[in-house]
Amino acid sequence: MSSSWMLGATGFVAGSQWLIVSVVAHRGGPAALGQISLAQAYVTCLSYVGWLALRNHYVVEDNRYPFSDYLFLRLVFPALLFGGLALVASTGLLDGAGFWATIAAFSALKFVEGFSDLNSGVFQKAHRSHTIAIAAGLRFAATAALFPAMLWAGGTVETALLALALAWLAIYLSFDNRQRHALVPMPDDIISADAKAVGRRWALFAVSLPLGLSSAIMILNVYTPRFGIVHLLGADALGHFTAIQYFANFGGMLVAVICQAALPMLARFAGQRSAGRFLSLAGALMLFALFGCLCGWLLIEFAGRTLLATIYGPRFADAQPLFAAAIPTIFLAFCGSIAAAAATALRLYRTILFAYVGSALVAAGLTYVLVPRLDLFGAFLAVGLAGLFQSAVLAAGMLAGWRKRVS
């Protein structure tokens, strides 16, 4: 039941993102989609650092820190990072003048989304996954009603994103935050100069930063090819790559939410030293990803052109052969995500960080090697091989960690 609600929530989250890129693609074509996807790449990578993986930390760890400590870090640290990114972009260092406005607007949207992400950890821990789905559904409804209307009425992408950020903030304050307060009251002040509170928050930051950095480096496997493609092939090629990658991102979100739902159980099996149950559950997650990729391949083979043209416009229909060829590489990336969830249950944070760093380097290096030779398929192949590398490193780390537990 929890997985079903989480899948519903993931569908709403993916639908919100997809609706934004679909409207932009229909209106501006591959070049416009390429530009917005590049801004998203910068902001999303930084958001994973700013969020510090606090949601996972809240679910897995004991109640050693009050919720006010988590909320303080979610409020202050992302604000500093996003503000710094917008400032750097305003200097023209990131792909030209004017690009800073798109980055600033995406940063505002991600900043607000971070509060709902943190509350999702509270709801999941309290077995209230349906609340996560309702909140995500409200944000999707706001996106469907507001973003296309703002854009088609003559507004820019930036103004539409800022208006959407305000709408999401209103939903958070009126629904998410009230539901969270009923489960986890917050008697402590968010901003506090008390020595004990400062000490706790510094300790929480110190223990969460490696996992946040790991998550950011992990997401680089997805977004690093975008930086290479825009320089090697141009904005139009990046738009076609992004159109296909959004299907992969949707599948990745489904895999992630299933892993998130299974994380408490994986952690329990690890604590009980039940290797058979642990491996069985991890294997079931792999089979889920494989089945999803097979279904996706059949859909693209028989209806790929129509699907791409409907979602993004007729200029994207020719990407169907590339999409079908990329699906096996997408599965390899999913395997890396599942291995990371299993390693998180074992609390192998340093191993995860090492695997993510290595995988990101593999993705970056192979992008510049393969894209000139294989065009856009080279970018997907680079992501898949990076996922395979990540899985191998994490599997070796988990084997060594398990032997220590039973010795």
Side-chain angles (χ1 to χ4, degrees):
M1 183 61 69
S2 175
S3 298
S4 299
W5 282 113
M6 294 293 284
L7 281 173
T10 300
F12 285 128
V13 171
S16 298
Q17 295 179 358
W18 230 331
L19 181 60
I20 292 172
V21 299
S22 177
V23 173
V24 171
H26 274 282
R27 187 179 183 186
L33 181 57
Q35 177 167 330
I36 195 175
S37 72
L38 191 61
Q40 183 190 36
Y42 283 114
V43 174
T44 302
C45 291
L46 198 63
S47 72
Y48 275 81
V49 179
W51 288 3
L52 295 171
L54 291 177
R55 174 180 174 175
N56 287 349
H57 190 280
Y58 187 87
V59 171
V60 173
E61 297 289 342
D62 297 329
N63 298 320
R64 291 187 294 170
Y65 305 94
F67 185 78
S68 56
D69 293 353
Y70 288 92
L71 187 56
F72 171 81
L73 292 180
R74 182 54 56 92
L75 175 69
V76 174
F77 194 49
L80 293 174
L81 293 182
F82 288 146
L85 178 64
L87 183 63
V88 171
S90 67
T91 65
L93 295 177
L94 301 181
D95 297 280
F99 192 58
W100 71 271
T102 309
I103 285 181
F106 255 120
S107 296
L109 193 65
K110 273 292 180 182
F111 180 71
V112 174
E113 185 184 352
F115 297 128
S116 297
D117 173 79
L118 180 58
N119 278 357
S120 295
V122 177
F123 300 143
Q124 183 182 352
K125 196 169 185 178
H127 304 288
R128 294 280 301 273
S129 298
H130 63 282
T131 307
I132 303 175
I134 294 172
L138 291 173
R139 292 195 299 274
F140 173 76
T143 304
L146 189 60
F147 187 82
M150 290 287 294
L151 203 56
W152 289 108
T156 63
V157 171
E158 291 79 15
T159 56
L161 288 172
L162 288 174
L164 188 58
L166 292 175
W168 282 14
L169 179 60
I171 292 171
Y172 167 77
L173 294 174
S174 61
F175 180 77
D176 298 53
N177 197 47
R178 290 186 177 184
Q179 295 293 323
R180 190 273 312 160
H181 186 74
L183 295 172
V184 182
M186 193 171 58
D188 300 330
D189 294 332
I190 299 177
I191 306 297
S192 175
D194 179 72
K196 291 183 178 180
V198 173
R200 286 197 317 267
R201 291 168 184 182
W202 176 254
L204 178 59
F205 175 79
V207 75
S208 300
L209 182 59
L211 197 55
L213 291 172
S214 298
S215 300
I217 295 169
M218 174 270 296
I219 205 66
L220 282 175
N221 293 344
V222 176
Y223 289 115
T224 294
R226 296 189 186 185
F227 305 126
I229 290 169
V230 74
H231 290 294
L232 294 172
L233 302 178
D236 279 4
L238 178 58
H240 284 96
F241 176 82
T242 303
I244 297 173
Q245 194 182 43
Y246 254 91
F247 287 91
N249 290 349
F250 176 71
M253 292 176 71
L254 292 178
V255 170
V257 75
I258 294 297
C259 290
Q260 188 74 26
L263 187 57
M265 193 176 298
L266 285 168
R268 184 168 69 250
F269 290 156
Q272 297 172 347
R273 300 181 180 179
S274 178
R277 291 183 176 182
F278 186 91
L279 291 176
S280 296
L281 183 53
L285 296 174
M286 294 281 187
L287 290 176
F288 169 80
L290 178 61
F291 177 76
C293 287
L294 289 174
C295 290
W297 183 82
L298 290 173
L299 176 64
I300 297 307
E301 277 293 316
F302 291 100
R305 293 180 64 87
T306 302
L307 187 63
L308 289 168
T310 300
I311 295 177
Y312 299 110
R315 285 174 283 185
F316 291 85
D318 291 339
Q320 183 270 340
L322 173 64
F323 194 174
I327 287 180
T329 69
I330 293 171
F331 170 69
L332 294 178
F334 292 167
C335 290
S337 298
I338 294 169
T344 300
L346 290 169
R347 300 182 181 180
L348 301 176
Y349 298 153
R350 291 183 180 179
T351 303
I352 294 171
L353 178 59
F354 176 78
Y356 283 165
V357 170
S359 181
L361 292 175
V362 169
L366 289 180
T367 294
Y368 282 91
V369 171
L370 297 177
V371 168
R373 295 168 173 78
L374 302 175
D375 205 63
L376 286 180
F377 177 72
F380 285 107
L381 184 58
V383 173
L385 292 176
L388 183 62
F389 173 86
Q390 179 175 308
S391 299
V393 172
L394 291 173
M398 285 187 285
L399 179 60
W402 200 277
R403 285 180 176 176
K404 289 183 180 179
R405 283 174 175 262
V406 299
S407 62

